[in-house]
Amino acid sequence: MSIYSDILKMKIRGADNIALTCLKHLSKYEDKKCFENECKKLEKLRPTEVVLHNVIKKLNAGCSVQEMTDKIHNNRKLIECHGRKLVKGKNVMTHCHSTETMTVIKHSKSVYATITEPRNQGIITVRYLRNFTKTKLIIDSACGFYMDDVDMIVIGSDSLRKEGIVNKIGSIPLCITAKTFGKEVYIAANTLKFDNREKFSIEFRLPNEIHESIKNVEILNPAFDIIPWKFVNAVITENGIINPKKILQELKR
Ligand code: RI2
């Protein structure tokens, strides 16, 4: 299997893990032209996830592969440090599988994890979390049924943009439900997820991830949605827990 198919088929997934894998791959390219071509090809694979784009920008500005790799790992540790106090003794609900979120919510009292249709990344989440905290798996549409039982939502992000927080499809209904029930919403995301790209698109995945084709039916499969900032209390970053107003000052688009 090649790096391309591993990323496309989501054997390698999650914004940070994709960037880490690509960093290792890019370290083999010494010729500038080949390096640039490879960067372009890799960026197109999961175009919504901005970390790889930002990492490539840093490499072009003189940072080394090792520095960027260490930065991503260190960011995770710092996010864990800041976030663990927030979730201590709390019941949390999460969506999808975000490595940055895992470092935080493994310190909570319990976690309700949505299965996260259509790719069921919630299974990765519960398999990991069960080693650290009381872990429950629910279907996406049960988030309202259990919202009274949790204190807060903690989810990850693929990119933080002026118009909102881009995260796994289903994040908008989860956050709206949380707000309706008076629960706080936190995003665990390092600052390499700040997305100031002019060209931005939501990835649409193959319809057969949802269902085999049905005659006269269009099957729509967007991978991400964009949570408006008004639904979010703060972002847990490597620099601390930061409110949306401050984050928005850093986002141009
Ligand atoms: P970390 C994932 O996308 C999820 O949307 C998750 O919240 C986000 O990446 C960030 O993951 P996908 O690759 O960088 O499963 O925190 O489509 O690991």
Side-chain angles (χ1 to χ4, degrees):
M1 287 284 247
S2 70
I3 184 170
Y4 311 106
S5 69
D6 282 355
I7 292 175
L8 278 175
K9 292 184 178 160
M10 295 178 71
K11 198 171 158 211
I12 298 161
R13 49 150 298 281
D16 281 358
N17 283 338
I18 289 172
L20 285 169
T21 307
C22 290
L23 272 166
K24 206 169 160 200
H25 175 79
L26 286 168
S27 66
K28 295 181 224 153
Y29 289 83
E30 278 169 17
D31 176 76
K32 197 167 177 276
K33 194 93 207 119
C34 295
F35 172 84
E36 282 169 5
N37 281 341
E38 199 58 24
C39 287
K40 274 187 204 143
K41 276 203 254 169
L42 293 171
E43 268 200 64
K44 277 189 198 140
L45 297 172
R46 303 285 315 274
T48 308
E49 300 193 356
V50 74
V51 180
L52 178 61
H53 170 82
N54 284 338
V55 159
I56 290 170
K57 251 172 85 180
K58 296 259 185 200
L59 293 179
N60 287 332
C63 287
S64 70
V65 164
Q66 195 55 50
E67 277 167 346
M68 291 319 297
T69 306
D70 292 346
K71 171 128 186 72
I72 293 173
H73 286 299
N74 283 337
N75 284 347
R76 279 186 189 160
K77 286 192 201 132
L78 290 167
I79 286 174
E80 176 175 5
C81 269
H82 298 304
R84 64 185 296 167
K85 302 167 207 149
L86 193 75
V87 302
K88 197 164 178 264
K90 306 278 192 213
N91 301 306
V92 173
M93 192 177 286
T94 194
H95 185 55
C96 201
H97 179 259
S98 142
T99 52
E100 297 189 298
T101 303
M102 294 305 108
T103 67
V104 172
I105 65 177
K106 69 185 198 184
H107 299 287
S108 64
K109 189 172 159 199
S110 79
V111 177
Y112 287 77
T114 59
I115 194 157
T116 318
E117 289 181 288
R119 296 290 302 227
N120 296 348
Q121 294 102 318
I123 301 294
I124 312 169
T125 293
V126 295
R127 283 195 197 283
Y128 175 78
L129 287 176
R130 66 184 168 159
N131 301 307
F132 301 96
T133 186
K134 204 166 158 193
T135 304
K136 295 165 194 197
L137 177 68
I138 61 172
I139 55 170
D140 298 1
S141 47
C143 71
F145 189 87
Y146 288 110
M147 195 55 75
D148 260 337
D149 297 353
V150 304
D151 300 296
M152 61 175 69
I153 306 294
V154 185
I155 51 178
S157 174
D158 298 86
S159 87
L160 301 168
R161 292 184 58 85
K162 197 123 205 154
E163 61 264 47
I165 299 98
V166 182
N167 195 44
K168 183 55 54 188
I169 196 76
S171 295
I172 291 179
L174 179 64
C175 294
I176 292 176
T177 310
K179 280 291 146 189
T180 309
F181 280 70
K183 311 291 171 162
E184 296 193 327
V185 174
Y186 293 94
I187 309 294
N190 73 72
T191 56
L192 285 169
K193 290 183 177 169
F194 285 13
D195 189 352
N196 286 316
R197 287 175 296 181
E198 202 170 334
K199 243 176 100 190
F200 164 79
S201 62
I202 293 286
E203 172 191 347
F204 273 70
R205 299 190 58 83
L206 290 175
N208 66 10
E209 285 188 346
I210 296 183
H211 203 282
E212 68 211 31
S213 68
I214 309 170
K215 204 172 168 207
N216 295 334
V217 174
E218 190 183 2
I219 300 176
L220 307 171
N221 188 16
F224 305 103
D225 57 21
I226 307 176
I227 313 158
W229 282 100
K230 65 178 178 188
F231 292 114
V232 170
N233 291 79
V235 182
I236 310 164
T237 75
E238 72 275 25
N239 302 324
I241 300 176
I242 307 180
N243 67 43
K245 212 172 149 196
K246 247 181 143 185
I247 300 264
L248 280 165
Q249 285 166 4
E250 307 261 337
L251 298 173
K252 296 178 188 74
R253 298 191 173 89

